[in-house]
Amino acid sequence: MHLTIRATGAGAGMLSHLLAKNPSNLYERMEKDSRVRIVFTASSEEEAEAVIYVTPDPVELVKGDSSAHNDITQYINDREFVVSSLFCTYIRSALGTALNGKTKEAYVPWVGRKLNLELALGPVASNLPDRTLTELFTALGYEVLLERGDADYAFDLKSRSSVRYIRLKGMQTLQTALRQLFVLIPALDDYKHYYISDDEVDKIRRYGEGWLEDHPQRGLILKRTLRFAGAIKQYEGWMTRDDKQIENRTPNIALAAGTAGAGFPVALGSDPSMETAEAPKVRLNDLRYAAIAEIVEGLVSRRRIVDFGSGEGKLSARLGSVPGVHEIKAVEPSASAQLRAMDRFAKMEGKSGVTVPEPVTGSLFYYDESLRGKDVMILCEVIEHIDEYRLGRVMDTIFHEYAPGTLIITTPNKEYNAVYEMDQEEMRHGDHRFEWSREAFAAWCSRWTPIYNYSAELKGIGEFDPNYGYPTQMAIFTKGEAL
């Protein structure tokens, strides 16, 4: 992970003074178990270039994380390579003088003077499309160039990669340029390694002063840096200096049922108690679990259930209370998630009328004979984490080999992202490989029904929008009579 700052033309020689670093010396420090280096590759009155390079310790990155205990996948990540909020944390101390504009008195006039700057950073792993990445910086007056690393592949992986290098060029003060990066880098990566507290809101306010309030993508930036409506409201309250509150962009969500175009449900009458300002927000994830449990409870055959991609076991635990369910296999490949699921299942032991789920280590890509012929199989928010070109193989295995009596699948509705004010090409999670519209999901479901003698019913989960439907779409596949 690196950041290169290059200044050319008038005032370029001030770069080292504004950074408070001797261009003849290598700056090297340990910061939070990571080695931070700053080296000047050029230093003259007309051209100066500083390279900030960070080498984290991959072991230290996961030390102290109890959730990663005995899970080798903890080491399989991109955190030691990509420019993210972690990178900003590592270099903040080294760049403190420039960020705060506290240079020596002789150089104070240069703090507010614009330089001809070129900034290069990367690699950046972002789920934002190229167009959005470009717009974030062009709005600040920069020329933007996005690059992908040089590599040869036997298939078109390079063009699908989310990893890019960013090069910026423009006239800007060094302090403002760095502050912009310290706000935008965490927004690009959308990964936070720290708790978002009042200090984080204050940091965004300080670093964003003079440019963020007028940025056309301010809403997106705040959503991806502060995440929570309360933190965003706190920031907006600071900016307006009064009691004005911004509208919470996360809609009230209520489960609805019925039928409308393309087999998706229409909204029924809402519960008045849900419309009051004091009513708590219901998480969409909880509504998914409730909807699935309701479907399962209405099935004639529901004794044996397989919950694929069960994660921390929340849905499996919920299904344990459904009458008539006697066996639940919670299948999950991640050891850390399974450990949390096992803790959850242990608390269910001894409770009357409750079926305790059985944790199973497994994957959709590895056939397990013990999962064959169950009454119900569930893939809750799973398929979008699989590359589309591999999905056919998975579905063939499910319908042909496992042949469950009922298959329940939920996945995001891409159209509904507009309600969340997301960019058209943005996805809800960094690990999503795709998100489908209602039409695309319906077409995909209809592909399997004639081949394997299943029927499919489509439903929606969440608050209905007349233009975009429901945030979550659900398919219920029911096995027909043997031919």
Side-chain angles (χ1 to χ4, degrees), residues 98-128:
L99 279 166
N100 298 317
K102 301 296 185 182
T103 186
K104 291 182 179 180
E105 186 175 353
Y107 310 116
V108 169
W110 287 93
V111 172
R113 194 169 302 182
K114 292 186 177 181
L115 304 175
N116 185 24
L117 295 176
E118 294 182 32
L119 308 169
L121 60 142
V124 173
S126 177
N127 58 359
L128 293 176

PDB file of all heavy atoms in Angstrom, residues 98-128:
ATOM      1  N   ALA A  98       1.506  18.041   8.061  1.00  0.00           N
ATOM      2  CA  ALA A  98       0.840  18.511   6.850  1.00  0.00           C
ATOM      3  C   ALA A  98      -0.679  18.519   7.010  1.00  0.00           C
ATOM      4  O   ALA A  98      -1.359  19.446   6.552  1.00  0.00           O
ATOM      5  CB  ALA A  98       1.238  17.629   5.667  1.00  0.00           C
ATOM      6  N   LEU A  99      -1.228  17.505   7.666  1.00  0.00           N
ATOM      7  CA  LEU A  99      -2.684  17.440   7.857  1.00  0.00           C
ATOM      8  C   LEU A  99      -3.197  18.599   8.698  1.00  0.00           C
ATOM      9  O   LEU A  99      -4.273  19.151   8.446  1.00  0.00           O
ATOM     10  CB  LEU A  99      -3.065  16.117   8.519  1.00  0.00           C
ATOM     11  CG  LEU A  99      -3.176  14.893   7.604  1.00  0.00           C
ATOM     12  CD1 LEU A  99      -3.227  13.629   8.450  1.00  0.00           C
ATOM     13  CD2 LEU A  99      -4.414  14.997   6.722  1.00  0.00           C
ATOM     14  N   ASN A 100      -2.429  18.975   9.709  1.00  0.00           N
ATOM     15  CA  ASN A 100      -2.858  20.030  10.627  1.00  0.00           C
ATOM     16  C   ASN A 100      -2.336  21.411  10.251  1.00  0.00           C
ATOM     17  O   ASN A 100      -2.705  22.407  10.885  1.00  0.00           O
ATOM     18  CB  ASN A 100      -2.417  19.683  12.051  1.00  0.00           C
ATOM     19  CG  ASN A 100      -3.036  18.392  12.552  1.00  0.00           C
ATOM     20  OD1 ASN A 100      -4.222  18.161  12.347  1.00  0.00           O
ATOM     21  ND2 ASN A 100      -2.236  17.542  13.182  1.00  0.00           N
ATOM     22  N   GLY A 101      -1.471  21.477   9.244  1.00  0.00           N
ATOM     23  CA  GLY A 101      -0.939  22.771   8.814  1.00  0.00           C
ATOM     24  C   GLY A 101      -0.070  23.432   9.859  1.00  0.00           C
ATOM     25  O   GLY A 101      -0.039  24.658   9.966  1.00  0.00           O
ATOM     26  N   LYS A 102       0.648  22.641  10.643  1.00  0.00           N
ATOM     27  CA  LYS A 102       1.450  23.165  11.758  1.00  0.00           C
ATOM     28  C   LYS A 102       2.943  23.153  11.425  1.00  0.00           C
ATOM     29  O   LYS A 102       3.766  22.716  12.221  1.00  0.00           O
ATOM     30  CB  LYS A 102       1.190  22.339  13.018  1.00  0.00           C
ATOM     31  CG  LYS A 102      -0.261  22.315  13.474  1.00  0.00           C
ATOM     32  CD  LYS A 102      -0.745  23.695  13.895  1.00  0.00           C
ATOM     33  CE  LYS A 102      -2.169  23.624  14.460  1.00  0.00           C
ATOM     34  NZ  LYS A 102      -2.670  24.957  14.837  1.00  0.00           N
ATOM     35  N   THR A 103       3.289  23.623  10.246  1.00  0.00           N
ATOM     36  CA  THR A 103       4.681  23.640   9.853  1.00  0.00           C
ATOM     37  C   THR A 103       5.441  24.741  10.582  1.00  0.00           C
ATOM     38  O   THR A 103       4.844  25.551  11.320  1.00  0.00           O
ATOM     39  CB  THR A 103       4.798  23.847   8.327  1.00  0.00           C
ATOM     40  OG1 THR A 103       6.149  23.713   7.934  1.00  0.00           O
ATOM     41  CG2 THR A 103       4.277  25.209   7.918  1.00  0.00           C
ATOM     42  N   LYS A 104       6.744  24.804  10.378  1.00  0.00           N
ATOM     43  CA  LYS A 104       7.546  25.861  11.002  1.00  0.00           C
ATOM     44  C   LYS A 104       7.069  27.233  10.513  1.00  0.00           C
ATOM     45  O   LYS A 104       6.582  27.380   9.398  1.00  0.00           O
ATOM     46  CB  LYS A 104       9.017  25.659  10.676  1.00  0.00           C
ATOM     47  CG  LYS A 104       9.637  24.437  11.342  1.00  0.00           C
ATOM     48  CD  LYS A 104      11.116  24.319  11.026  1.00  0.00           C
ATOM     49  CE  LYS A 104      11.733  23.108  11.718  1.00  0.00           C
ATOM     50  NZ  LYS A 104      13.186  22.977  11.411  1.00  0.00           N
ATOM     51  N   GLU A 105       7.254  28.217  11.366  1.00  0.00           N
ATOM     52  CA  GLU A 105       6.704  29.543  11.098  1.00  0.00           C
ATOM     53  C   GLU A 105       7.130  30.089   9.733  1.00  0.00           C
ATOM     54  O   GLU A 105       6.335  30.729   9.038  1.00  0.00           O
ATOM     55  CB  GLU A 105       7.130  30.507  12.204  1.00  0.00           C
ATOM     56  CG  GLU A 105       6.490  31.880  12.097  1.00  0.00           C
ATOM     57  CD  GLU A 105       6.832  32.764  13.281  1.00  0.00           C
ATOM     58  OE1 GLU A 105       7.449  32.254  14.239  1.00  0.00           O
ATOM     59  OE2 GLU A 105       6.496  33.954  13.236  1.00  0.00           O
ATOM     60  N   ALA A 106       8.350  29.816   9.327  1.00  0.00           N
ATOM     61  CA  ALA A 106       8.841  30.354   8.065  1.00  0.00           C
ATOM     62  C   ALA A 106       8.071  29.825   6.863  1.00  0.00           C
ATOM     63  O   ALA A 106       8.035  30.461   5.803  1.00  0.00           O
ATOM     64  CB  ALA A 106      10.327  30.021   7.917  1.00  0.00           C
ATOM     65  N   TYR A 107       7.431  28.665   7.015  1.00  0.00           N
ATOM     66  CA  TYR A 107       6.757  28.048   5.879  1.00  0.00           C
ATOM     67  C   TYR A 107       5.234  28.123   5.986  1.00  0.00           C
ATOM     68  O   TYR A 107       4.528  27.591   5.117  1.00  0.00           O
ATOM     69  CB  TYR A 107       7.183  26.588   5.746  1.00  0.00           C
ATOM     70  CG  TYR A 107       8.678  26.418   5.774  1.00  0.00           C
ATOM     71  CD1 TYR A 107       9.302  25.704   6.802  1.00  0.00           C
ATOM     72  CD2 TYR A 107       9.491  26.983   4.783  1.00  0.00           C
ATOM     73  CE1 TYR A 107      10.676  25.549   6.838  1.00  0.00           C
ATOM     74  CE2 TYR A 107      10.874  26.836   4.819  1.00  0.00           C
ATOM     75  CZ  TYR A 107      11.454  26.128   5.848  1.00  0.00           C
ATOM     76  OH  TYR A 107      12.822  25.984   5.877  1.00  0.00           O
ATOM     77  N   VAL A 108       4.719  28.772   7.025  1.00  0.00           N
ATOM     78  CA  VAL A 108       3.269  28.883   7.227  1.00  0.00           C
ATOM     79  C   VAL A 108       2.553  29.465   6.016  1.00  0.00           C
ATOM     80  O   VAL A 108       1.459  28.999   5.640  1.00  0.00           O
ATOM     81  CB  VAL A 108       2.958  29.697   8.502  1.00  0.00           C
ATOM     82  CG1 VAL A 108       1.473  30.051   8.574  1.00  0.00           C
ATOM     83  CG2 VAL A 108       3.361  28.901   9.748  1.00  0.00           C
ATOM     84  N   PRO A 109       3.088  30.503   5.333  1.00  0.00           N
ATOM     85  CA  PRO A 109       2.374  31.036   4.159  1.00  0.00           C
ATOM     86  C   PRO A 109       2.121  29.996   3.070  1.00  0.00           C
ATOM     87  O   PRO A 109       1.179  30.148   2.280  1.00  0.00           O
ATOM     88  CB  PRO A 109       3.308  32.141   3.659  1.00  0.00           C
ATOM     89  CG  PRO A 109       4.072  32.571   4.876  1.00  0.00           C
ATOM     90  CD  PRO A 109       4.279  31.304   5.655  1.00  0.00           C
ATOM     91  N   TRP A 110       2.939  28.953   3.018  1.00  0.00           N
ATOM     92  CA  TRP A 110       2.781  27.937   1.990  1.00  0.00           C
ATOM     93  C   TRP A 110       1.690  26.917   2.327  1.00  0.00           C
ATOM     94  O   TRP A 110       1.259  26.159   1.445  1.00  0.00           O
ATOM     95  CB  TRP A 110       4.102  27.202   1.779  1.00  0.00           C
ATOM     96  CG  TRP A 110       5.112  28.051   1.056  1.00  0.00           C
ATOM     97  CD1 TRP A 110       6.070  28.848   1.619  1.00  0.00           C
ATOM     98  CD2 TRP A 110       5.220  28.228  -0.353  1.00  0.00           C
ATOM     99  NE1 TRP A 110       6.788  29.515   0.650  1.00  0.00           N
ATOM    100  CE2 TRP A 110       6.280  29.139  -0.582  1.00  0.00           C
ATOM    101  CE3 TRP A 110       4.539  27.710  -1.455  1.00  0.00           C
ATOM    102  CZ2 TRP A 110       6.664  29.525  -1.861  1.00  0.00           C
ATOM    103  CZ3 TRP A 110       4.926  28.085  -2.724  1.00  0.00           C
ATOM    104  CH2 TRP A 110       5.973  28.985  -2.920  1.00  0.00           C
ATOM    105  N   VAL A 111       1.233  26.910   3.562  1.00  0.00           N
ATOM    106  CA  VAL A 111       0.164  25.972   3.937  1.00  0.00           C
ATOM    107  C   VAL A 111      -1.092  26.233   3.115  1.00  0.00           C
ATOM    108  O   VAL A 111      -1.772  25.305   2.666  1.00  0.00           O
ATOM    109  CB  VAL A 111      -0.145  26.068   5.440  1.00  0.00           C
ATOM    110  CG1 VAL A 111      -1.391  25.245   5.797  1.00  0.00           C
ATOM    111  CG2 VAL A 111       1.052  25.582   6.255  1.00  0.00           C
ATOM    112  N   GLY A 112      -1.392  27.504   2.909  1.00  0.00           N
ATOM    113  CA  GLY A 112      -2.606  27.854   2.166  1.00  0.00           C
ATOM    114  C   GLY A 112      -2.364  28.132   0.699  1.00  0.00           C
ATOM    115  O   GLY A 112      -3.289  28.595   0.006  1.00  0.00           O
ATOM    116  N   ARG A 113      -1.187  27.814   0.185  1.00  0.00           N
ATOM    117  CA  ARG A 113      -0.881  28.090  -1.217  1.00  0.00           C
ATOM    118  C   ARG A 113      -1.002  26.809  -2.034  1.00  0.00           C
ATOM    119  O   ARG A 113      -0.469  25.762  -1.682  1.00  0.00           O
ATOM    120  CB  ARG A 113       0.529  28.664  -1.343  1.00  0.00           C
ATOM    121  CG  ARG A 113       0.815  29.299  -2.700  1.00  0.00           C
ATOM    122  CD  ARG A 113       2.123  30.073  -2.681  1.00  0.00           C
ATOM    123  NE  ARG A 113       2.135  31.122  -1.665  1.00  0.00           N
ATOM    124  CZ  ARG A 113       3.153  31.957  -1.473  1.00  0.00           C
ATOM    125  NH1 ARG A 113       4.240  31.847  -2.236  1.00  0.00           N
ATOM    126  NH2 ARG A 113       3.106  32.876  -0.535  1.00  0.00           N
ATOM    127  N   LYS A 114      -1.680  26.909  -3.166  1.00  0.00           N
ATOM    128  CA  LYS A 114      -1.895  25.741  -4.007  1.00  0.00           C
ATOM    129  C   LYS A 114      -0.632  25.398  -4.791  1.00  0.00           C
ATOM    130  O   LYS A 114       0.059  26.275  -5.297  1.00  0.00           O
ATOM    131  CB  LYS A 114      -3.064  25.977  -4.969  1.00  0.00           C
ATOM    132  CG  LYS A 114      -4.414  26.073  -4.268  1.00  0.00           C
ATOM    133  CD  LYS A 114      -5.557  26.169  -5.262  1.00  0.00           C
ATOM    134  CE  LYS A 114      -6.900  26.195  -4.531  1.00  0.00           C
ATOM    135  NZ  LYS A 114      -8.039  26.265  -5.492  1.00  0.00           N
ATOM    136  N   LEU A 115      -0.386  24.092  -4.881  1.00  0.00           N
ATOM    137  CA  LEU A 115       0.747  23.570  -5.641  1.00  0.00           C
ATOM    138  C   LEU A 115       0.224  22.713  -6.792  1.00  0.00           C
ATOM    139  O   LEU A 115      -0.906  22.201  -6.740  1.00  0.00           O
ATOM    140  CB  LEU A 115       1.645  22.717  -4.741  1.00  0.00           C
ATOM    141  CG  LEU A 115       2.193  23.369  -3.463  1.00  0.00           C
ATOM    142  CD1 LEU A 115       2.958  22.329  -2.654  1.00  0.00           C
ATOM    143  CD2 LEU A 115       3.076  24.562  -3.799  1.00  0.00           C
ATOM    144  N   ASN A 116       1.055  22.558  -7.786  1.00  0.00           N
ATOM    145  CA  ASN A 116       0.713  21.645  -8.882  1.00  0.00           C
ATOM    146  C   ASN A 116       1.046  20.230  -8.417  1.00  0.00           C
ATOM    147  O   ASN A 116       2.197  19.805  -8.425  1.00  0.00           O
ATOM    148  CB  ASN A 116       1.503  22.008 -10.133  1.00  0.00           C
ATOM    149  CG  ASN A 116       1.091  21.154 -11.325  1.00  0.00           C
ATOM    150  OD1 ASN A 116      -0.017  20.625 -11.369  1.00  0.00           O
ATOM    151  ND2 ASN A 116       1.988  21.019 -12.279  1.00  0.00           N
ATOM    152  N   LEU A 117       0.019  19.496  -7.987  1.00  0.00           N
ATOM    153  CA  LEU A 117       0.218  18.199  -7.339  1.00  0.00           C
ATOM    154  C   LEU A 117      -0.197  17.043  -8.240  1.00  0.00           C
ATOM    155  O   LEU A 117      -1.167  17.140  -9.001  1.00  0.00           O
ATOM    156  CB  LEU A 117      -0.584  18.122  -6.038  1.00  0.00           C
ATOM    157  CG  LEU A 117      -0.188  19.061  -4.906  1.00  0.00           C
ATOM    158  CD1 LEU A 117      -1.149  18.896  -3.742  1.00  0.00           C
ATOM    159  CD2 LEU A 117       1.255  18.798  -4.460  1.00  0.00           C
ATOM    160  N   GLU A 118       0.518  15.950  -8.100  1.00  0.00           N
ATOM    161  CA  GLU A 118       0.126  14.669  -8.671  1.00  0.00           C
ATOM    162  C   GLU A 118       0.134  13.649  -7.532  1.00  0.00           C
ATOM    163  O   GLU A 118       1.146  13.486  -6.835  1.00  0.00           O
ATOM    164  CB  GLU A 118       1.089  14.231  -9.776  1.00  0.00           C
ATOM    165  CG  GLU A 118       1.062  15.135 -11.003  1.00  0.00           C
ATOM    166  CD  GLU A 118       1.994  14.636 -12.098  1.00  0.00           C
ATOM    167  OE1 GLU A 118       2.171  13.399 -12.195  1.00  0.00           O
ATOM    168  OE2 GLU A 118       2.543  15.474 -12.834  1.00  0.00           O
ATOM    169  N   LEU A 119      -0.985  12.996  -7.333  1.00  0.00           N
ATOM    170  CA  LEU A 119      -1.131  12.020  -6.254  1.00  0.00           C
ATOM    171  C   LEU A 119      -1.415  10.651  -6.869  1.00  0.00           C
ATOM    172  O   LEU A 119      -2.285  10.527  -7.741  1.00  0.00           O
ATOM    173  CB  LEU A 119      -2.279  12.407  -5.317  1.00  0.00           C
ATOM    174  CG  LEU A 119      -2.250  13.835  -4.765  1.00  0.00           C
ATOM    175  CD1 LEU A 119      -3.573  14.170  -4.090  1.00  0.00           C
ATOM    176  CD2 LEU A 119      -1.097  14.007  -3.785  1.00  0.00           C
ATOM    177  N   ALA A 120      -0.707   9.657  -6.406  1.00  0.00           N
ATOM    178  CA  ALA A 120      -0.933   8.283  -6.881  1.00  0.00           C
ATOM    179  C   ALA A 120      -1.086   7.378  -5.666  1.00  0.00           C
ATOM    180  O   ALA A 120      -0.272   7.414  -4.742  1.00  0.00           O
ATOM    181  CB  ALA A 120       0.232   7.815  -7.752  1.00  0.00           C
ATOM    182  N   LEU A 121      -2.120   6.568  -5.652  1.00  0.00           N
ATOM    183  CA  LEU A 121      -2.361   5.695  -4.509  1.00  0.00           C
ATOM    184  C   LEU A 121      -2.909   4.360  -4.977  1.00  0.00           C
ATOM    185  O   LEU A 121      -3.555   4.258  -6.016  1.00  0.00           O
ATOM    186  CB  LEU A 121      -3.313   6.340  -3.510  1.00  0.00           C
ATOM    187  CG  LEU A 121      -4.715   6.713  -4.019  1.00  0.00           C
ATOM    188  CD1 LEU A 121      -5.755   6.443  -2.941  1.00  0.00           C
ATOM    189  CD2 LEU A 121      -4.752   8.200  -4.377  1.00  0.00           C
ATOM    190  N   GLY A 122      -2.649   3.350  -4.170  1.00  0.00           N
ATOM    191  CA  GLY A 122      -3.189   2.050  -4.500  1.00  0.00           C
ATOM    192  C   GLY A 122      -2.352   0.922  -3.907  1.00  0.00           C
ATOM    193  O   GLY A 122      -1.346   1.162  -3.256  1.00  0.00           O
ATOM    194  N   PRO A 123      -2.787  -0.289  -4.141  1.00  0.00           N
ATOM    195  CA  PRO A 123      -4.024  -0.610  -4.852  1.00  0.00           C
ATOM    196  C   PRO A 123      -5.251  -0.330  -3.982  1.00  0.00           C
ATOM    197  O   PRO A 123      -5.182  -0.420  -2.760  1.00  0.00           O
ATOM    198  CB  PRO A 123      -3.891  -2.105  -5.129  1.00  0.00           C
ATOM    199  CG  PRO A 123      -2.981  -2.610  -4.041  1.00  0.00           C
ATOM    200  CD  PRO A 123      -2.024  -1.493  -3.749  1.00  0.00           C
ATOM    201  N   VAL A 124      -6.346   0.038  -4.628  1.00  0.00           N
ATOM    202  CA  VAL A 124      -7.614   0.296  -3.942  1.00  0.00           C
ATOM    203  C   VAL A 124      -8.602  -0.791  -4.353  1.00  0.00           C
ATOM    204  O   VAL A 124      -8.824  -0.992  -5.552  1.00  0.00           O
ATOM    205  CB  VAL A 124      -8.177   1.683  -4.307  1.00  0.00           C
ATOM    206  CG1 VAL A 124      -9.565   1.860  -3.720  1.00  0.00           C
ATOM    207  CG2 VAL A 124      -7.252   2.781  -3.815  1.00  0.00           C
ATOM    208  N   ALA A 125      -9.149  -1.499  -3.386  1.00  0.00           N
ATOM    209  CA  ALA A 125     -10.174  -2.513  -3.654  1.00  0.00           C
ATOM    210  C   ALA A 125     -11.531  -1.900  -3.363  1.00  0.00           C
ATOM    211  O   ALA A 125     -11.935  -1.771  -2.211  1.00  0.00           O
ATOM    212  CB  ALA A 125      -9.945  -3.750  -2.786  1.00  0.00           C
ATOM    213  N   SER A 126     -12.236  -1.500  -4.403  1.00  0.00           N
ATOM    214  CA  SER A 126     -13.497  -0.784  -4.215  1.00  0.00           C
ATOM    215  C   SER A 126     -14.603  -1.437  -5.031  1.00  0.00           C
ATOM    216  O   SER A 126     -14.400  -1.831  -6.180  1.00  0.00           O
ATOM    217  CB  SER A 126     -13.347   0.680  -4.646  1.00  0.00           C
ATOM    218  OG  SER A 126     -14.572   1.374  -4.526  1.00  0.00           O
ATOM    219  N   ASN A 127     -15.795  -1.533  -4.429  1.00  0.00           N
ATOM    220  CA  ASN A 127     -16.946  -2.046  -5.166  1.00  0.00           C
ATOM    221  C   ASN A 127     -17.657  -0.955  -5.945  1.00  0.00           C
ATOM    222  O   ASN A 127     -18.698  -1.189  -6.558  1.00  0.00           O
ATOM    223  CB  ASN A 127     -17.931  -2.735  -4.213  1.00  0.00           C
ATOM    224  CG  ASN A 127     -18.439  -1.808  -3.112  1.00  0.00           C
ATOM    225  OD1 ASN A 127     -18.056  -0.644  -3.037  1.00  0.00           O
ATOM    226  ND2 ASN A 127     -19.294  -2.323  -2.245  1.00  0.00           N
ATOM    227  N   LEU A 128     -17.115   0.261  -5.919  1.00  0.00           N
ATOM    228  CA  LEU A 128     -17.684   1.348  -6.708  1.00  0.00           C
ATOM    229  C   LEU A 128     -17.228   1.222  -8.159  1.00  0.00           C
ATOM    230  O   LEU A 128     -16.083   0.857  -8.427  1.00  0.00           O
ATOM    231  CB  LEU A 128     -17.237   2.699  -6.155  1.00  0.00           C
ATOM    232  CG  LEU A 128     -17.753   3.083  -4.770  1.00  0.00           C
ATOM    233  CD1 LEU A 128     -17.131   4.405  -4.326  1.00  0.00           C
ATOM    234  CD2 LEU A 128     -19.273   3.187  -4.755  1.00  0.00           C
TER     235      LEU A 128
END
